[in-house]
Amino acid sequence: MQKVGIIGLGWLGTRLAKSLEGKSRIFGTVRSNTSAAELKSFGYSITAVDFANDEYQKRSIWELISSIDVIVVMVPFSVRKANAPNASIKMSNLLNFLGSFQGQLFFISSTGVYPREKKNFTETSLSRNENLYEEMISKQFPQVNILRLGGLMGDNRLLRNYKVSSLDEPVNHVHYRDVCRVINKMIDQKAAGKLYNVVAPLHPKKAEVIAHQQGNDSNSQPLIEGRIIKSDLIMKELSFHFDYPDPKTFHLDLSNT
């Protein structure tokens, strides 16, 4: 049974761990001892560590790392705080924690790295060397797979539950189940050094998504222009098909259809 480490067992991390159960032993990190105790009850091996803590600097390598085959880094790095001192500390601490890990590695990034411009963006629109955190982890770990996720949705995260502005803008969202499926498939294929956008291929307007999630009919109108993040590359190279291609259906259970 392979051993998978998930650094940052939060909302998405716990769902990824669930998707790996039965074929992987789960190791992970959380920020607090309280969260660690809860996750240990699921049979996971958990370490409590806060990478953003100033007092954490220069901590030694993760003591469990020699036992792990795959690591998925889900520690968030906001693009809006790229120059914040605590963000640099957090990345430095994370890299020290990983040491010289040679196994399969994933870094969960965001489509927020792309400019706020009304145009289509692909992976070639912005290289990993043009984003501070993607560049830093790539220099130390050339084998890292970087996944730029759209807005994470599913379960309790639905657009209808939020205060939303700019209702005529297109969405760049992804269902967490498709994210978990992507990571599982890349683990199975032993992918290395890849850079992918992971975004549902359809981009309806926010107003349409909310209307459908509220059970109302919506007359779909073509977009004149908007900021669209394309995920064609992952569908082509991995032969990946999204279970949830349309954000209007994120409130439905389509996992067995």
Side-chain angles (χ1 to χ4, degrees), residues 8 22 46 53 71 81 87 140-141 155 175 192 207 224 242-243 245-246:
I46 302 297
N53 191 327
I71 289 179
K81 299 179 181 178
Q140 185 160 323
F141 303 100
D155 285 350
H175 198 289
I224 298 175
F242 286 82
D243 280 349
D246 189 348

Side-chain angles (χ1 to χ4, degrees), residues 120 150-151 153 159 169-175 178 197-206 208-209 212-213 220-221 223 227-232 234-235 240-250 254:
N120 290 350
M153 294 290 172
L159 201 61
E169 288 184 352
V171 298
N172 291 287
H173 291 168
V174 64
H175 198 289
D178 280 325
N197 295 331
V198 186
V199 183
L202 299 180
H203 305 269
K205 295 178 182 179
K206 295 177 185 178
E208 292 181 67
V209 175
H212 277 264
Q213 292 177 356
S220 178
Q221 298 295 324
L223 290 170
R227 179 176 178 269
I228 301 291
I229 313 300
K230 306 291 287 185
S231 53
D232 300 47
I234 196 169
M235 291 189 286
F240 185 79
H241 300 281
F242 286 82
D243 280 349
Y244 292 83
D246 189 348
K248 296 195 300 290
T249 67
F250 281 6
L254 304 179

